[in-house]
Amino acid sequence: MAAAPSQAVPPSRPGRRLWRRLTLWVLLLVACLAVAAFAWRWAENAAIERLRLSGAQRLDGYALSLENLLAKYDFLPGTLELNKDVIALLQKPGDDALRGEVNEYLEKVNRLSKSTTIYIVNLQGVTQAASNWREPDSFVGDDVSFRPYVRDALRREPGGFYGVGTTRGEPGYFFAHGIYHNGRMLGVATVKVNIEKLEKGWVQGADKVLLTDAHGVVFLTSVPEWKYRTLAPLEPEVRRELEASRQYFSHALTPLGMRETGRTDGGAGIVTVSDAGPRLTMLSQSRSLAPRKWRFVYLSDLAPARASARNVFLFACLAQALLVMLVLYTRQRRRLGRQRLRAREDLQRAYDNLETMVAERTSSLQQMTHNLSEENIVRRKAEQKLRQAQSELVQAAKMAVLGQMSAGITHELNQPLTALRTMADNARVLIERDRLDEAKTNLATISQLVARMGLITGQLRQFARKADASPRAVPVAAAITAALFLVERRVERERVNFRMSMRGQDVHALCDSNRLEQVLVNLFTNALDAMAGSETRELTVAVERTDDRVMIGVADSGPGIPEDIRAHLFEPFFTTKPQGQGLGLGLAISEQIVREFGGVLRVEAGAGGGVSGGAKFIIELPLAEQETIDV
Ligand code: ADP
């Protein structure tokens, strides 16, 4: 059978939620980055625009100051032909006196106009007079016909030229103008002006200013290392021409390595200069100085603008992160608030439930308490009835013992009664026969017999009395004697050897004397019953005491108690005696009596507990404290 096509398991609900949340976060991150990037771009453009405007302003300022400076000297060469000596010297070049005159004149004009040098050249290009005539490297006699400004002037064109001096290598701007007399050119007047001092005012922070000639050779700049370098490599013929005119003396004119990498919206160029040192990226603005074919270039450093744009980007990121965090925080707070409200409601509900439960429980507890108190009353009544029944049972058992003893007691009383009747008859006969002494003796015996009978009945009455079971100090020896008195006749008749041992005579137990006698009579009777068929009949009572207990041991020389009977000894109605002789209540009631007084009735373990293998019972009772004993 073909396997069923496997079906794609749809993602679980929490999984879908997680995905959705993840996608949202990614989108939010992208949006934040886009905003930050936009801010970056905007800040960069704004900073560049500011740079451009300030650069343009500076550029205008610099160009104007240069133009002004040059304009000041434009007219000067033309005015020199107004001097007659100058004209005369050019007409008579050999007149040294005249030359001296002109030299001094030029020197004076040069000083007043603050130009560098002023000199007069003849049509062959040889200097006839110069303001620096006093100096050792004076221009006088120099051939400057190769200089372009001289050639231009000789061609009747106004000569304007920036170049490095061939004598001292000092740069300057050369103004040249033809000297005419009556419309005929006699020579050329030249004024050299130092414009290098302008450079000093151009240095503005990291910005750079360049002035280049028509070939792109930098001849004035705020960066000394860039001087006499070119913006682009020179064409070979240009280089040859420059070398011929010695415009830049012996400078190598190597390229600067400037490259335009882009343009701004405002039309400025972005250029990189990778000359020695770190690569610079700059905003380039230029302006041409038309009549001289020069170009002014103003380069603004882009690094601060870019750094501030970067800072704007970082700030935008930070601000957005803060905003997101604020939103999250507000949401979290709101959620927490809702949770707290829910928790408070739950708590209130639980509290209400608890109150209801407590009320219910309280009422059921009250009901239970009520029931309990009713039960208590019932129980107390039952206990009372039980105690009454127990007491009646004890009394009944006592009566049973008395019943058992009644035959012996009757015999005990019958004997003296018979003797009494005989002795009374005898006494009457003896009195009739006037045997008064014998009659007196008889009467004395009668009196003794009556006293003895009174003692017996007294003991019986005492035993039969209903006792209240409140414990008091009972002299143990007296209780044993009283109990023994009740069974004395049997002991004598059945020739039982009775022994009693007691350490100290005044041992008192905390119980009731009547009840203790009842227990003892019971144990004695059982012992006598057990020894009925025994050869030796010994009944031993031993009293011992510890710090707080009294132990009365009752041992006999009967057959002892077998193990199977021992287990049931204290059960009510357990008896091994023939019907009519035993009720099986003796030990059960005795045990209960002893327990009621805080004692224990127990049978000694093992077959040999008693005398010669008989039984031995021990009554253990609390010892009466000395202060409870009635003196
Ligand atoms: P009853 O004497 O009426 O039988 P008891 O409770 O006094 O009731 O005794 C229960 C049984 O315990 C007796 O029937 C007897 O078998 C046994 N018994 C009690 N004392 C002795 C004893 N000293 N020697 C042997 N057996 C005993």
Side-chain angles (χ1 to χ4, degrees):
M1 209 174 85
S6 66
Q7 285 188 345
V9 183
S12 62
R13 234 179 125 76
R16 268 211 308 275
R17 204 180 306 149
L18 189 73
W19 262 112
R20 217 174 28 233
R21 209 174 259 193
L22 208 68
T23 317
L24 266 173
W25 274 109
V26 170
L27 284 176
L28 185 69
L29 188 71
V30 170
C32 286
L33 282 174
V35 169
F38 176 77
W40 185 358
R41 186 102 199 106
W42 172 83
E44 194 177 62
N45 283 345
I48 288 175
E49 185 57 18
R50 274 197 304 279
L51 273 185
R52 193 185 68 78
L53 288 174
S54 79
Q57 253 176 18
R58 290 230 173 89
L59 198 57
D60 285 346
Y62 296 152
L64 197 67
S65 63
L66 180 66
E67 293 284 13
N68 284 344
L69 180 71
L70 295 179
K72 242 168 65 180
Y73 296 99
D74 249 353
F75 69 95
L76 190 57
T79 56
L80 289 178
E81 66 180 13
L82 301 175
N83 186 289
K84 286 191 175 75
D85 293 340
V86 172
I87 300 293
L89 179 66
L90 287 172
Q91 285 170 338
K92 293 181 215 154
D95 189 340
D96 285 338
L98 207 53
R99 190 188 314 280
E101 290 284 322
V102 174
N103 277 342
E104 278 180 18
Y105 170 69
L106 293 180
E107 187 181 23
K108 193 171 170 188
V109 173
N110 187 52
R111 194 173 60 247
L112 289 172
S113 64
K114 293 196 178 87
S115 52
T116 309
T117 324
I118 302 177
Y119 52 101
I120 305 292
V121 179
N122 65 12
L123 290 175
Q124 286 71 44
V126 178
T127 310
Q128 299 300 307
S131 59
N132 59 358
W133 61 277
R134 292 180 200 273
E135 289 162 30
D137 52 357
S138 150
F139 289 177
V140 180
D142 285 356
D143 182 357
V144 290
S145 58
F146 61 94
R147 298 291 257 175
Y149 54 92
V150 177
R151 279 189 294 187
D152 285 348
L154 290 174
R155 280 201 299 271
R156 296 173 179 259
E157 287 171 18
F161 175 83
Y162 183 85
V164 179
T166 48
T167 320
R168 289 197 199 162
E170 278 178 1
Y173 188 80
F174 295 86
F175 297 86
H177 195 276
I179 299 173
Y180 298 91
H181 182 65
N182 297 330
R184 195 168 65 88
M185 180 183 276
L186 296 178
V188 173
T190 304
V191 176
K192 180 182 177 185
V193 179
N194 185 356
I195 54 172
E196 270 190 321
K197 58 187 174 205
L198 283 175
E199 286 174 334
K200 292 183 182 67
W202 290 351
V203 186
Q204 288 283 336
D207 293 356
K208 302 175 193 327
V209 186
L210 324 172
L211 190 59
T212 67
D213 68 6
H215 308 300
V217 177
V218 179
F219 61 89
L220 276 188
T221 172
S222 59
V223 190
E225 307 86 64
W226 289 3
K227 204 157 191 174
Y228 307 125
R229 309 284 299 276
T230 60
L231 294 184
L234 292 175
E235 298 293 323
E237 60 269 24
V238 174
R239 186 172 284 279
R240 267 197 302 278
E241 187 191 316
L242 288 174
E243 276 166 6
S245 68
R246 298 176 70 191
Q247 184 174 354
Y248 298 108
F249 198 46
S250 57
H251 292 288
L253 307 180
T254 51
L256 256 178
M258 187 179 284
R259 208 161 55 83
E260 186 170 293
T261 56
R263 297 202 75 77
T264 66
D265 298 342
I270 292 173
V271 296
T272 58
V273 183
S274 49
D275 196 39
R279 205 172 100 118
L280 298 169
T281 305
M282 314 197 87
L283 184 75
S284 162
Q285 296 173 84
S286 63
R287 179 194 155 127
S288 67
L289 298 176
R292 297 182 177 85
K293 295 185 188 159
W294 291 352
R295 181 162 282 279
F296 235 124
V297 182
Y298 188 87
L299 297 173
S300 318
D301 189 6
L302 279 178
R306 288 196 165 157
S308 78
R310 250 197 320 274
N311 286 345
V312 167
F313 172 76
L314 288 177
F315 178 77
C317 285
L318 209 71
Q320 288 180 99
L322 271 174
L323 197 73
V324 169
M325 274 162 70
L326 196 74
V327 169
L328 285 179
Y329 173 74
T330 319
R331 276 185 55 180
Q332 187 68 13
R333 262 189 74 117
R334 227 177 277 159
R335 193 180 303 154
L336 274 176
R338 275 202 302 273
Q339 276 177 0
R340 215 171 293 150
L341 199 72
R342 250 202 313 274
R344 204 176 299 154
E345 282 169 7
D346 287 352
L347 203 69
Q348 185 62 43
R349 252 199 307 280
Y351 182 71
D352 294 346
N353 284 349
L354 197 70
E355 275 198 338
T356 324
M357 271 167 69
V358 166
E360 283 171 3
R361 287 279 154 86
T362 312
S363 91
S364 73
L365 265 175
Q366 274 168 349
Q367 185 62 39
M368 274 166 73
T369 318
H370 178 70
N371 292 350
L372 262 177
S373 62
E374 276 183 356
E375 272 174 25
N376 237 2
I377 293 166
V378 170
R379 189 174 54 78
R380 227 175 284 144
K381 276 185 187 161
E383 275 175 2
Q384 216 171 342
K385 273 186 187 164
L386 184 68
R387 255 199 307 276
Q388 207 173 332
Q390 276 175 344
S391 155
E392 274 163 14
L393 196 62
V394 169
Q395 192 60 22
K398 206 152 52 175
M399 290 307 154
V401 170
L402 279 177
Q404 278 173 2
M405 291 194 303
S406 64
I409 292 163
T410 314
H411 178 73
E412 281 294 317
L413 292 176
N414 271 346
Q415 259 188 335
L417 272 177
T418 313
L420 271 179
R421 193 185 310 142
T422 310
M423 285 183 135
D425 289 346
N426 285 351
R428 189 166 44 85
V429 172
L430 287 171
I431 290 167
E432 279 171 3
R433 289 178 191 171
D434 213 14
R435 288 161 60 184
L436 291 175
D437 287 341
E438 283 175 76
K440 267 185 195 169
T441 313
N442 255 12
L443 285 172
T445 311
I446 285 167
S447 172
Q448 278 174 5
L449 282 172
V450 168
R452 165 104 184 129
M453 284 170 73
L455 201 65
I456 291 171
T457 51
Q459 281 290 341
L460 282 172
R461 200 175 59 241
Q462 166 73 15
F463 186 69
R465 144 181 97 82
K466 238 185 173 178
D468 69 334
S470 53
R472 53 174 64 93
V474 175
V476 175
I480 294 171
T481 310
L484 188 63
F485 183 82
L486 291 172
V487 291
E488 203 173 26
R489 257 31 73 202
R490 259 192 90 181
V491 169
E492 282 170 9
R493 198 173 54 239
E494 292 171 15
R495 282 191 288 280
V496 175
N497 186 12
F498 179 81
R499 273 207 312 263
M500 180 166 139
S501 69
M502 187 182 238
R503 250 181 243 151
Q505 283 304 301
D506 57 345
V507 180
H508 287 68
L510 197 64
C511 60
D512 173 72
S513 61
N514 187 261
R515 291 279 165 94
L516 180 57
E517 280 166 31
Q518 186 179 349
V519 174
L520 284 168
V521 167
N522 222 304
L523 294 181
F524 291 166
T525 314
N526 275 350
L528 292 174
D529 288 349
M531 290 188 295
S534 301
E535 290 271 305
T536 48
R537 292 168 186 166
E538 286 182 8
L539 179 60
T540 312
V541 178
V543 179
E544 287 177 15
R545 56 166 288 188
T546 63
D547 286 348
D548 58 344
R549 308 291 269 184
V550 180
M551 270 84 70
I552 308 164
V554 179
D556 63 57
S557 58
I561 306 165
E563 200 63 44
D564 55 329
I565 291 176
R566 193 185 290 263
H568 304 288
L569 274 184
F570 298 106
E571 287 174 10
F573 306 109
F574 175 80
T575 180
T576 57
K577 291 172 190 170
Q579 206 170 4
Q581 279 188 32
L583 277 173
L585 283 171
L587 284 177
I589 288 170
S590 298
E591 195 272 339
Q592 194 195 327
I593 290 169
V594 175
R595 184 150 39 86
E596 241 171 58
F597 292 116
V600 184
L601 174 63
R602 62 173 191 271
V603 63
E604 198 81 306
V611 183
S612 320
K616 180 176 180 183
F617 287 85
I618 293 168
I619 307 164
E620 190 183 314
L621 285 165
L623 184 73
E625 301 288 335
Q626 200 58 38
E627 55 266 26
T628 62
I629 299 169
D630 302 330
V631 184

